């Protein structure tokens, strides 16, 4: 009796195994889908091809907005090329202007991730008002103030006192242009600020001073040493004594309101690195100690 019962059972078991094997290998679509059964009986199917596409999607490009002093234009443009080549997901957008103008823009809500100033005053104001990340501010560079005259002109200046004999002299507007403030201090140091008032041409930034001297619109102008080195149309007549004005320092900082704090810090660290310092040195800046 027991032997007869085993035969139909074994036949049924064989059929069940064959059907199960066909179900596992016979549906082509099953190789591309994974089905999960939850405790409540619901099912969730994920396409492996969709997951693969998601995994290979390129990283979203990040735009870093950098407000920088106009005198940094050439050096930062070169560093932009270097940095973007090594960080393909980052696009650097620079807003060049006088440091005071940039400070006011930030105070008025203009978006920015980093600020590079040509003077500590502008940075200090933003720090005091809570715009900057206190742990991510540092002195980046130093510079020198020089008096330039047209290279092929007849203007000769040996000392600061010789400025009395010149015509118009260009300087940045002292209230918004750090180079102009340093020039004002140097002229006051030599007791020339008041006597020269009628001949001073105030400009929006140091680049405009350079342009006025290049074109002969003024007899002379005060710019940074780095700006003078960029032009073959001007020559340096003299350098202002270091004691005649405040130290010329370029602080850098990351804003608290940065939309991309991680990327901003990475670029901040890069600008303080040795490779970046070498580029700044090429343009005549002195890296801060």
């Amino acid at each position: 009796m027991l032997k007869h019962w085993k035969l139909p059972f074994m036949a049924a078991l064989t059929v069940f195994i064959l059907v199960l094997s066909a179900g596992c290998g016979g549906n082509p679509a099953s190789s591309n889908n994974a089905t999960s059964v939850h405790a409540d009986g619901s099912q969730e199917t994920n396409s492996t091809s969709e997951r693969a596409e998601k995994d290979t999607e390129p990283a979203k490009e990040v735009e870093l907005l950098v407000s920088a002093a106009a005198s940094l234009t050439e050096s930062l443009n070169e560093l932009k090329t270097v940095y973007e080549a090594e960080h393909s997901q980052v696009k650097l957008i620079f807003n060049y202007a006088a440091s005071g103008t940039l400070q006011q823009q930030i105070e008025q809500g203009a978006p920015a991730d980093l600020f590079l100033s040509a003077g500590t005053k502008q940075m200090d104001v933003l720090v005091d008002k809570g715009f900057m990340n206190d742990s991510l501010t540092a002195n980046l560079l130093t510079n020198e103030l020089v008096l330039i005259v047209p290279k092929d002109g007849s203007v000769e200046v040996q000392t600061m006192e010789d400025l009395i004999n010149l015509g118009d002299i260009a300087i940045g507007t002292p209230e918004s242009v750090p180079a102009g403030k340093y020039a004002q201090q140097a002229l006051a140091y030599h007791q020339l600020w008041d006597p020269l008032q009628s001949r001073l041409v105030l400009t929006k930034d140091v680049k405009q001073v350079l342009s006025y001297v290049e074109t002969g619109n003024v007899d002379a102008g005060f710019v940074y040493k780095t700006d003078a080195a960029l032009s073959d149309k001007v020559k340096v007549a003299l350098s202002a004594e270091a004691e005649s004005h405040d130290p010329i320092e370029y602080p850098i900082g990351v804003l608290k309101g940065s939309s991309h704090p991680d990327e901003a810090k990475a670029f901040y660290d890069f600008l303080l690195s040795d490779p970046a310092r070498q580029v700044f040195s090429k343009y005549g800046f002195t890296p801060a100690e």
Side-chain angles (χ1 to χ4, degrees):
M1 183 68 181
L2 185 59
K3 292 182 179 179
H4 293 292
W5 176 83
K6 285 185 177 180
L7 291 176
F9 173 78
M10 294 302 293
L13 181 60
T14 302
V15 171
F16 175 77
I17 293 173
L18 291 174
V19 171
L20 182 61
S21 300
C24 291
N27 184 2
S30 64
S31 61
N32 290 328
N33 293 286
T35 302
S36 300
V37 180
H38 299 284
D40 60 1
S42 61
Q43 295 185 350
E44 179 180 330
T45 302
N46 295 318
S47 169
T48 56
S49 60
E50 290 177 358
R51 292 199 304 273
E53 289 178 3
K54 186 175 181 180
D55 292 341
T56 57
E57 285 180 359
K60 186 177 180 180
E61 184 178 75
V62 170
E63 290 187 347
L64 279 185
L65 306 178
V66 183
S67 292
S71 54
L72 291 167
T73 301
E74 290 75 17
S75 56
L76 285 180
N77 282 348
E78 179 170 334
L79 287 169
K80 167 184 169 72
T81 301
V82 173
Y83 193 78
E84 288 183 346
E86 298 176 354
H87 302 80
S88 58
Q89 81 284 6
V90 176
K91 180 177 179 59
L92 298 171
I93 299 177
F94 290 102
N95 174 27
Y96 295 115
S99 299
T101 299
L102 298 173
Q103 170 207 325
Q104 293 174 3
Q105 290 176 354
I106 292 172
E107 288 180 308
Q108 293 167 6
D113 295 295
L114 295 98
F115 176 44
L116 283 77
S117 176
T120 56
K121 174 186 174 182
Q122 291 73 24
M123 182 66 78
D124 289 344
V125 169
L126 293 179
V127 169
D128 292 341
K129 291 186 176 183
F131 286 93
M132 308 304 300
N133 186 327
D134 293 342
S135 63
L136 293 176
T137 57
N139 190 20
L140 180 64
L141 306 165
T142 64
N143 210 336
E144 294 180 29
L145 183 71
V146 298
L147 181 78
I148 57 172
V149 298
K151 187 173 183 179
D152 299 327
S154 58
V155 179
E156 292 294 336
V157 179
Q158 301 296 327
T159 67
M160 281 285 198
E161 286 66 30
D162 291 338
L163 294 177
I164 290 291
N165 303 318
L166 301 186
D168 290 338
I169 302 165
I171 70 169
T173 303
E175 291 73 23
S176 59
V177 184
K181 184 64 176 179
Y182 301 136
Q184 180 186 41
Q185 293 172 344
L187 291 173
Y189 180 84
H190 289 275
Q191 300 181 345
L192 294 170
W193 177 249
D194 290 333
L196 291 176
Q197 282 297 300
S198 62
R199 281 175 277 167
L200 293 178
V201 177
L202 305 183
T203 69
K204 65 177 183 178
D205 57 39
V206 72
K207 293 297 186 184
Q208 193 171 49
V209 174
L210 181 64
S211 175
Y212 282 2
V213 178
E214 287 179 329
T215 56
N217 287 328
V218 296
D219 285 346
F222 283 96
V223 299
Y224 296 120
K225 177 186 69 173
T226 51
D227 295 298
L230 295 171
S231 176
D232 58 2
K233 297 178 181 179
V234 303
K235 61 183 178 181
V236 175
L238 56 84
S239 298
E241 305 95 323
E243 62 269 20
S244 70
H245 57 77
D246 291 338
I248 302 176
E249 299 174 332
Y250 285 67
I252 177 178
V254 174
L255 277 87
K256 284 183 179 178
S258 170
S259 299
H260 309 286
D262 293 338
E263 290 81 1
K265 181 184 183 304
F267 187 55
Y268 168 90
D269 291 338
F270 168 74
L271 292 178
L272 290 168
S273 69
D274 287 339
R277 285 169 174 249
Q278 291 174 12
V279 173
F280 285 127
S281 295
K282 185 177 79 171
Y283 285 90
F285 292 97
T286 301
E289 297 180 357

